[in-house]
Amino acid sequence: MMKKKEDLELIRDIGFIAHIDAGKTTTTERMLFYAGRTYKIGEVDEGTTITDWMQQERERGITITSAATYCTWKDFQINIIDTPGHIDFTVEVERSLKVLDGAVVIFCGVGGVEPQSETVWRQADKYNVPRIAFINKLDRQGADFFTVVEEMKAKLNTVIAPVQIPFYENDDFVGVVDLIHNTLMYYEDDLGTNPVQKEIPHEYAQNALAARDILLEKLAELDDELMHKIIEGEVVSEDEIKAKIRTYVIANKFVPVLCGSSLKNKGIQLLLDAICDYLPSPGQLEQVQGFSMDGSKQETRSVSSSSPLCALCFKVFTDPFVGKLFYIRIYSGRISTSSSIYNATRKTKEKVTKILRMHANKQEIIHEAKAGDIVCLVGLKETTTGDTLCTHHHPILLEEIKFPEPVVSVAIEPRTKVDQEKLIDSLRKLTEEDPSFKMAYNRETGQNIISGMGKLHLDIMVDRLLREFSVEGKIGRPQVAYKETLTRKLQAVGKFIQQTGGRGQYGHVVLVMEPQEKGKGIVFESKIKGGVIPREFISSVKEGIFEAAESGVLGGYPVVDVRATLIDGSYHEVDSSELSFKIAAELAFKDGLRRGESIVLEPIMDLEVITPVEYLSQVIGDLNSRRSKISSISERKSLKIVRADVPLVEVFDYADILRNLTQGRASYTMEPSYYEKVPEELLSRILGI
């Protein structure tokens, strides 16, 4: 049974983030084993891991959903979130980083800093999450610790330095040199449970001394006190080095680099020590920043169990036996079973019927959770991802989580008419779980459309429909999620007048419509003065604009990046209504799109291909035929790395194409980058004209 910890300083809320196949899940499994949380090591390849518990994860050998678990190490309670590495599931990384105090970024000793490594690093930057780096797979042929360190310095724009270096014997990775304590941790057995502490062998001592000097030099650049000590030749103690590392890790100014091989059980105990020594506790935050209910002023909460409740729901998951599980991070206060809490985002009261501490898909019922805890609540009705939970008497709104827009869509139909309602209900549950998964009904074609972050993302969702909800669906060919937007500023008028004997309908609006910068979406603003349109109808105008933006005038694609400003209009004292102004706004918006020289936008992907040198020309030739813009070609050992921007529509089946081009020896990763205008010559093909 886990020891109860009242001291926030002894809690670590951390996550593992990395490129796909860098070893996050394997590292999590080893940590749980060495901390005594599990008694058998799970293996990804065998489908026996704790955190990859979904059938789809075990079959594919990848992480799909972030899994929460915990363990104790020495006096510390470590709450762990293992996140996916595949770009299709980047939303899981996004929402996990929002609630974590620290992260372990794992790099492959062979692959180095791969594209998704950079993406998760930028996501951690966005949420200002302190991190430590772990270079994994150093037992593999071609692994090069120091090359990866240099690559990190070049690509990640931060101050880093190794605190450990790998130790090899006859080309076998057998130990870790600890630069802080000047010792060698030597692994004599395959299970790695009893590493032996030794003196650093003479032939390694010089390298270790040079690496330790670099570590002290990097810290001294950040710390004047340490700089003076080094200049004056004073001895810097081990405790002092560790304290300085902790200070600058928490300040996000320094990243210590550790090393090991999770699969071969080396370096994990030292990683556990580093998590406790260097990453922040929940108490380090001191205060949680939020907003008042109307968003007009800042509110704060002291990070303490005795402060009023403040928590964030960062994930919703439907368990077939328990029902909906609401994953929450508690920043301050306490929650107990059967208590009432307030959802500040939805402005509604919620009742907590059960509190669960999660160990992947296994649950442990607890009766109270407090500041610093990551737990699941059962019984909430209105809550969804991103909602703030607090007390009614001390409301606070935390900043919402922003999620990426889907880039791939498919039509999905039930096998039988009877299943239609069941399909819609099941899809709705999946959209509640995953904010990057969307569903819509296309009135023109009568089809249900699902959208996600990639083909794999949609494949998994359709698989879950069958296995978890027992709904069989027929899916169409994947379609690119095109968008529409304006290219010029104009004034648009919408009038809706209807007389049918008795009370009629009258609505009249004048909009100024103009393009916005990328990523701004639809922005509405009212500049109505003097009651030209009564205030109660303004919200209907906004509603009409947002509804009209769901389907553009060229191909029925969603409209993005347009500002609509209501500047004028008129009303009738008897005939005007909310409905008439909503319809008038829709008419004005559509009119503006028709006259505003609308264009269709397509998603452009950031593609990285890693290929043996002998296939480089074939890869480049093929990319050139796919409207790609090659941005760089670099070298890593005997491999070439090609970076390019390429339209998604051109690379739907790129896995098969690359396999055929390179006899299966090249690999690639890609992620959504930006939207760009579709070339004129392709527009008619897309629109079918």
Side-chain angles (χ1 to χ4, degrees), residues 394-438:
H394 297 92
I396 186 171
L397 271 173
L398 298 174
E399 187 182 8
E400 62 183 28
I401 311 173
K402 291 184 172 61
F403 296 108
E405 284 295 312
V407 293
V408 178
S409 301
V410 295
I412 182 167
E413 299 300 327
R415 289 278 177 196
T416 66
K417 291 284 182 191
V418 181
D419 278 345
Q420 174 69 14
E421 201 171 308
K422 196 175 176 185
L423 174 69
I424 298 298
D425 185 51
S426 303
L427 287 173
R428 194 171 288 120
K429 285 176 180 172
L430 289 174
T431 59
E432 286 172 359
E433 286 182 21
D434 185 347
S436 67
F437 177 69
K438 309 275 190 201

Side-chain angles (χ1 to χ4, degrees), residues 91-102:
V91 65
E92 294 287 342
V93 182
E94 195 81 21
R95 59 175 161 199
S96 299
L97 284 170
K98 176 76 176 174
V99 298
L100 293 173
D101 296 326

Side-chain angles (χ1 to χ4, degrees), residues 231-243:
I231 290 170
E232 288 164 19
E234 290 183 41
V235 175
V236 183
S237 71
E238 293 163 4
D239 287 345
E240 198 173 349
I241 296 171
K242 286 168 73 171

Side-chain angles (χ1 to χ4, degrees), residues 13 68 79 81 95-96 98-100 309-317 325-336 339 341 343 352 354-358 366 368-378 380 383-390 398 401:
D13 291 330
N79 299 318
I81 295 182
R95 59 175 161 199
S96 299
K98 176 76 176 174
V99 298
L100 293 173
L309 175 66
C310 173
L312 182 74
C313 174
F314 66 94
K315 180 174 175 171
V316 179
F317 194 82
L325 298 175
F326 300 85
Y327 285 75
I328 66 159
R329 159 72 194 266
I330 304 175
Y331 291 99
S332 64
R334 298 170 181 267
I335 296 177
S336 54
S339 63
I341 55 178
N343 183 324
V352 179
K354 203 182 286 183
I355 304 172
L356 305 172
R357 194 181 294 285
M358 300 302 291
I366 57 174
E368 185 183 64
K370 56 189 183 306
D373 283 342
I374 294 175
V375 293
C376 276
L377 304 184
V378 178
L380 311 187
T383 300
T384 188
T385 303
D387 287 0
T388 304
L389 303 172
C390 55
L398 298 174
I401 311 173

Side-chain angles (χ1 to χ4, degrees), residues 41 56 64 194 227 251 373 383 391 398 436 516 622 628:
I41 295 178
Q56 295 88 343
I64 291 167
N194 296 303
M227 177 74 82
D373 283 342
T383 300
T391 60
L398 298 174
S436 67
Q516 286 271 91
D622 178 72
S628 72

